[in-house]
Amino acid sequence: MTGTERTDTRQAIMEATYRALCEHGYAALTMQDIADELDKSKSLLHYHFDTKEDLLVAFIEFLLEEFEEKRAENAEAPPEKRLEEFVDWFVFAPEEDDRTAFHIALLELRSQAPYTEAYREQLARSDRLVRETIVEIVEAGIESGEFRSDVDPESIARLVFATMDGARIRQATLAEAGYAAAVRDALYEYVLDDIVSAE
Amino acid sequence: MTGTERTDTRQAIMEATYRALCEHGYAALTMQDIADELDKSKSLLHYHFDTKEDLLVAFIEFLLEEFEEKRAENAEAPPEKRLEEFVDWFVFAPEEDDRTAFHIALLELRSQAPYTEAYREQLARSDRLVRETIVEIVEAGIESGEFRSDVDPESIARLVFATMDGARIRQATLAEAGYAAAVRDALYEYVLDDIVSAE
DNA sequence: GGTCATTGACTGACTAGTCAGTCAGTTTCG
DNA sequence: CGAAACTGACTGACTAGTCAGTCAATGACC
C-alpha cells in the first residue's frame, strides 16, 4: 500500500499545483503557494521533488497523461464531429474563468521553454501528440470519403493547430472574450468547410 | 537642448532595454541588466522611470512607434506584394538569432499582460494596428480586383494574424526551425492563394 | 504480546541570495 | 550659481532550498 500512498501524495501535489497555477499564474508561483493549496508544508514538496523545476516538469507530464486519456475516449466518433470537438476544445471557456486562468499560466510556462530544456522536451511531446491527433482525424475523414482527398493531413494539422493556438493566446493576453471564437469561425469559413464538404 | 537630451537618453535606454531583453529574456531581466547595456548606473533608470513597469510600458510604446513608421513606408506597394511581405515579416529570422531571442522575450512579456493592465492596453493597441494593416491590404486588393471580392477583410485579418502569431510562438517555444515557414506555406495553399487568384 | 529499530512522511526554523527601489550626495553644464 | 543628470551604498521584501528533528506506522525479535 505504501506505493499507492506515495502516488496519492504526488497526485495531490499535482492537483494543488494546478490550483496554485490558476490562482497565481506561473511567474508569480512560489513553492509556498503550492504548499498552501496542498495544506502541507513547503518542505514536503522538496521531499518529493528536488527542485521547483522538477516539480513542474512532472506537472507537465501529468497534463500530458490526462490529454492522452481524453484523446483515447472519443477516438471512435465520426471525423467531422471529432474535428469540431477538437477545435472547440481550444475555444473552450467562453467565460469559464478557471480554464482561462489555467491557459494563461500555461502560456507563461511555455514562454520559459526556450530557457529550460526539460520544459521544451515535454512541450515538444505535446506538440507531436496534438498534431498526430489532428492528422488521424483528417486521414480518417479522407478514408471515409467525408473529407476532400487532395489535402495533406500534416499541413492541415499544422495550420489548424497554429491558428487555434494563436487565437487562444491572443484572446487570453488581450482579455478579449470573442477573439478565439471569431478566429474559429473564420477558420471554418475559409479552410475547414472546403475540406469537409464532399468533393 | 535639455528636451532633446532627455529624449536622447530615453532613446538610449530603450535601445539598451532591447539588447538586454534579447540577452536575458523578460523573466530574468533586471534593472541592472539594462543599466549594464546602457553603461550607466541602475539609479539613472529610476531617475527617468519611476518603476520597472513604467520603463517597460514605455518600451512597448517605443516598439509601436517603430512599427507605425515601418508600416507607413511600404503602404504604396501592390496589395499582393504587401500581403506577402507582411506574412514573411512574421516568419523572419530563419536563423537570425537576435530577432528570435527578441520575439521570445516579447512572448514572455505578453504572457504577463493578463496581470498588468498597462501592458494589456499597449498590446491591444498593437493588435488593432496590425489587424487594421491587414484589413487595409485586403480591402485594397479587393478594390483593385486582385483579390476575390466575396471575402470579409476583418475575418481574413483575424485568421492570418492568429495563424502567423501561433506559428511563430510554436516555433520559438519548441525551438523548431521550420515551423513558422511550414505554417505560412499551408496558409498560402489553403487560404491566401484562393483569395489572391482572380475570381 | 511487548519492546525496540527502522523508515517514510512531514515540519519549522534557518540560510543565502536576489532585486526593485531609495536616498544622500557628486558631477556636469548652461 | 542652480538645476538636471547621474552615482554608490544601502534596505527591505521575498523565495528556493537546507537541515535537524518529530511522529506514526511497520516489522523484527524474544
Side-chain angles (χ1 to χ4, degrees), chain A:
Chain A
M1 284 288 169
T2 35
T4 317
E5 275 187 271
R6 191 190 162 195
T7 304
D8 277 1
T9 303
R10 285 176 72 109
Q11 178 80 16
I13 292 175
M14 295 297 100
E15 285 161 12
T17 303
Y18 177 87
R19 291 193 300 274
L21 274 173
C22 287
E23 199 165 339
H24 305 279
Y26 170 83
L29 184 75
T30 69
M31 292 296 263
Q32 191 60 56
D33 292 333
I34 302 174
D36 288 348
E37 285 294 335
L38 188 63
D39 234 349
K40 291 279 157 66
S41 77
K42 181 165 74 83
S43 307
L44 180 67
L45 300 177
H46 283 291
Y47 174 76
H48 287 285
F49 301 94
D50 282 355
T51 66
K52 190 184 179 185
E53 186 183 315
D54 285 348
L55 191 157
L56 287 163
V57 169
F59 178 72
I60 307 177
E61 200 159 355
F62 165 78
L63 292 178
L64 277 175
E65 279 161 22
E66 278 196 334
F67 177 78
E68 269 170 331
E69 279 171 32
K70 203 187 163 185
R71 179 204 191 198
E73 270 175 35
N74 67 342
E76 299 309 327
E80 192 174 341
K81 191 175 171 55
R82 279 182 76 194
L83 185 61
E84 196 185 321
E85 267 176 23
F86 179 87
V87 170
D88 279 344
W89 172 64
F90 271 91
V91 183
F92 221 71
E95 218 46 53
E96 204 182 329
D97 268 8
D98 222 30
R99 216 60 199 170
T100 297
F102 178 65
H103 281 309
I104 291 167
L106 215 50
L107 173 63
E108 293 179 80
L109 193 154
R110 283 170 60 189
S111 80
Q112 294 309 300
Y115 311 102
T116 309
E117 201 187 334
Y119 291 177
R120 213 162 52 237
E121 278 169 15
Q122 296 284 52
L123 294 176
R125 257 185 68 202
S126 124
D127 180 71
R128 260 175 270 129
L129 199 59
V130 171
R131 266 165 48 202
E132 272 168 26
T133 303
I134 311 178
V135 167
E136 269 175 30
I137 294 173
V138 175
E139 281 176 347
I142 292 173
E143 211 157 321
S144 74
E146 282 176 77
F147 291 5
R148 260 173 51 195
S149 60
D150 62 339
V151 298
D152 174 28
E154 299 278 353
S155 283
I156 294 289
R158 236 188 276 268
L159 182 64
V160 170
F161 192 17
T163 302
M164 293 314 300
D165 194 29
R168 191 167 65 186
I169 290 170
R170 300 205 71 75
Q171 166 163 313
T173 54
L174 299 174
E176 213 177 293
Y179 210 114
V183 172
R184 176 201 55 196
D185 293 344
L187 183 66
Y188 266 98
E189 187 177 347
Y190 297 102
V191 184
L192 298 179
D193 284 346
D194 292 342
I195 289 169
V196 170
S197 73
E199 77 280 6

Side-chain angles (χ1 to χ4, degrees), chain B residues 26-171:
Chain B
Y26 169 84
L29 184 76
T30 69
M31 292 295 265
Q32 189 61 57
D33 292 333
I34 301 175
D36 289 349
E37 285 295 336
L38 187 64
D39 235 350
K40 291 278 158 67
S41 78
K42 181 164 73 82
S43 309
L44 180 65
L45 301 177
H46 284 290
Y47 176 75
H48 287 284
F49 300 94
D50 282 354
T51 67
K52 192 184 179 185
E53 188 183 312
D54 285 348
L55 191 158
L56 287 164
V57 169
F59 178 70
I60 306 177
E61 200 159 354
F62 165 76
L63 291 178
L64 278 176
E65 279 162 21
E66 279 197 334
F67 176 78
E68 269 170 331
E69 279 172 31
K70 204 186 160 185
R71 180 204 191 198
E73 269 176 36
N74 67 341
E76 300 309 326
E80 191 174 341
K81 191 173 172 56
R82 278 182 76 196
L83 185 61
E84 195 185 321
E85 266 176 24
F86 179 86
V87 170
D88 279 344
W89 173 63
F90 272 92
V91 184
F92 220 70
E95 217 47 54
E96 203 183 325
D97 268 9
D98 222 32
R99 216 60 197 171
T100 297
F102 178 65
H103 282 308
I104 291 167
L106 215 50
L107 174 62
E108 294 179 79
L109 192 155
R110 283 171 60 189
S111 79
Q112 295 309 300
Y115 310 103
T116 309
E117 202 187 332
Y119 290 177
R120 213 163 50 238
E121 278 168 15
Q122 294 285 51
L123 293 177
R125 257 186 69 200
S126 124
D127 179 71
R128 259 176 272 130
L129 198 60
V130 171
R131 267 165 46 203
E132 271 168 26
T133 304
I134 310 178
V135 166
E136 269 175 31
I137 295 173
V138 175
E139 281 175 347
I142 292 173
E143 210 156 322
S144 76
E146 280 177 78
F147 291 5
R148 260 174 49 197
S149 60
D150 62 340
V151 297
D152 174 30
E154 299 278 354
S155 284
I156 294 288
R158 238 190 274 271
L159 182 66
V160 170
F161 192 19
T163 302
M164 292 315 299
D165 193 29
R168 191 168 63 186
I169 289 170
R170 301 205 69 74
Q171 167 163 312

